[in-house]
């Protein structure tokens, strides 16, 4: 499989809604990158749906969970280059708001780049971006200890062999293969088209291939 998937539930007034996060592996001009996709799992069709508006009252928690997933993913793929943009401009704006809110915590762990029109630059608050690249800054294995209010916390360096370490609740399950999912194919095509048109941030081009 050329992708990795995570699942979690949005819980609110509309009940429990299963959400999926995909990391789709691609290659362009000698560089490998992962396209991050967030969507709802439609049990009736068996496909992802990222155009529906959930309005389940937990948007901040959902974005924080996605951030925790990116941390977990890069614990194992520490050199991963991750790209994401919303399926609509409104969703891209929502991602930006989430990054803005937790930027102090995020920047301790990741390098974040935003695209303005055709230009990539390090992410800054109060600027409207069209897409995002994320790379891991801290190479140590990071454990998140979930606080009461938000999921993002200050990273803590730990010995992964310590039997007393605190782990976020995670389990490995066999999810359906979404490689031929219509939305997956469309989002992947969008990502590749963006990279072909706008390229990578200069800082990423300096990394060893």
């Amino acid at each position: 499989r050329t992708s990795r998937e995570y699942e979690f539930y949005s819980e609110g007034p509309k009940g429990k809604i299963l959400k999926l996060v995909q990391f789709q592996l691609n290659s362009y001009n000698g560089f490998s990158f992962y396209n991050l996709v967030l969507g709802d799992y439609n049990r009736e069709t068996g496909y992802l749906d990222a155009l529906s508006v959930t309005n389940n009252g937990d948007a901040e928690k959902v974005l924080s969970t996605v951030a925790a997933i990116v941390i977990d993913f890069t614990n194992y793929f520490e050199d991963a280059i991750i790209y994401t943009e919303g399926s609509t401009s409104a969703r891209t704006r929502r991602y930006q708001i989430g990054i803005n809110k937790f930027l102090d915590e995020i920047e301790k762990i990741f390098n974040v780049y935003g695209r303005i029109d055709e230009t990539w630059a390090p992410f800054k608050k109060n600027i409207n971006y069209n897409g995002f690249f994320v790379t891991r800054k801290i190479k140590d294995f990071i454990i998140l200890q979930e606080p009461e209010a938000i999921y993002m916390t200050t990273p803590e360096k730990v010995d992964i062999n310590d039997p007393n370490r605190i782990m976020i609740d995670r389990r490995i399950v066999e999810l359906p293969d979404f490689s031929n999912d219509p939305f997956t194919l469309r989002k992947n095509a969008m990502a590749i088209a963006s990279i072909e048109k706008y390229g990578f941030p200069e800082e990423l081009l300096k990394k060893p291939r």
Side-chain angles (χ1 to χ4, degrees):
R1 295 173 68 158
T2 58
S3 66
R4 300 289 187 273
E5 292 91 23
Y6 288 73
E7 64 173 16
F8 67 96
Y9 282 98
S10 164
E11 297 188 55
K14 295 189 177 181
K16 294 179 66 174
I17 299 173
L18 181 60
K19 291 185 172 290
L20 297 179
V21 174
Q22 278 189 321
F23 295 90
Q24 304 167 338
L25 180 61
N26 294 279
S27 180
Y28 174 71
N29 199 24
F31 285 85
S32 295
F33 71 95
Y34 288 91
N35 180 36
L36 187 155
V37 177
L38 170 65
D40 294 352
Y41 178 60
N42 189 319
R43 296 184 185 278
E44 294 182 2
T45 64
Y47 291 144
L48 290 178
D49 182 358
L51 297 178
S52 64
V53 180
T54 305
N55 285 333
N56 211 17
D58 63 345
E60 182 176 304
K61 188 174 182 180
V62 166
L63 291 177
S64 297
T65 303
V66 173
I69 286 172
V70 173
I71 289 174
D72 187 76
F73 181 79
T74 54
N75 274 340
Y76 299 96
F77 301 93
E78 63 181 26
D79 293 321
I81 298 173
I82 300 172
Y83 174 79
T84 191
E85 64 177 287
S87 50
T88 65
S89 58
R91 290 178 186 272
T92 300
R93 174 65 177 165
R94 190 175 302 167
Y95 295 167
Q96 178 175 320
I97 291 173
I99 296 173
N100 275 337
K101 182 160 186 138
F102 301 112
L103 187 59
D104 290 343
E105 289 86 356
I106 290 172
E107 286 186 327
K108 295 173 183 176
I109 309 171
F110 297 105
N111 298 302
V112 184
Y113 306 92
R115 178 171 58 81
I116 309 171
D117 297 326
E118 299 181 4
T119 304
W120 287 101
F123 186 96
K124 295 184 182 300
K125 292 184 177 181
N126 302 318
I127 297 178
N128 292 326
Y129 295 105
N130 307 112
F132 310 94
F133 268 112
V134 175
T135 60
R136 183 72 172 252
K137 181 183 297 183
I138 297 177
K139 299 299 184 180
D140 302 271
F141 196 98
I142 292 175
I143 304 301
L144 288 182
Q145 299 186 39
E146 183 178 346
E148 295 180 359
I150 61 173
Y151 282 13
M152 290 294 294
T153 66
T154 301
E156 178 182 349
K157 299 178 182 179
V158 300
D159 178 1
I160 62 173
N161 296 314
D162 181 359
N164 297 316
R165 69 187 186 278
I166 299 174
M167 296 289 291
I168 58 173
D169 182 23
R170 66 189 306 275
R171 58 195 176 92
I172 298 176
V173 296
E174 186 62 29
L175 296 174
D177 185 354
F178 293 102
S179 57
N180 293 316
D181 180 282
F183 177 75
T184 292
L185 294 174
R186 185 169 71 85
K187 281 289 291 181
N188 217 33
M190 285 176 58
I192 293 172
S194 291
I195 303 306
E196 289 177 344
K197 186 173 183 179
Y198 304 112
F200 293 88
E202 288 294 327
E203 290 85 348
L204 297 186
L205 295 177
K206 298 174 184 177
K207 289 180 175 292
R209 301 192 186 196

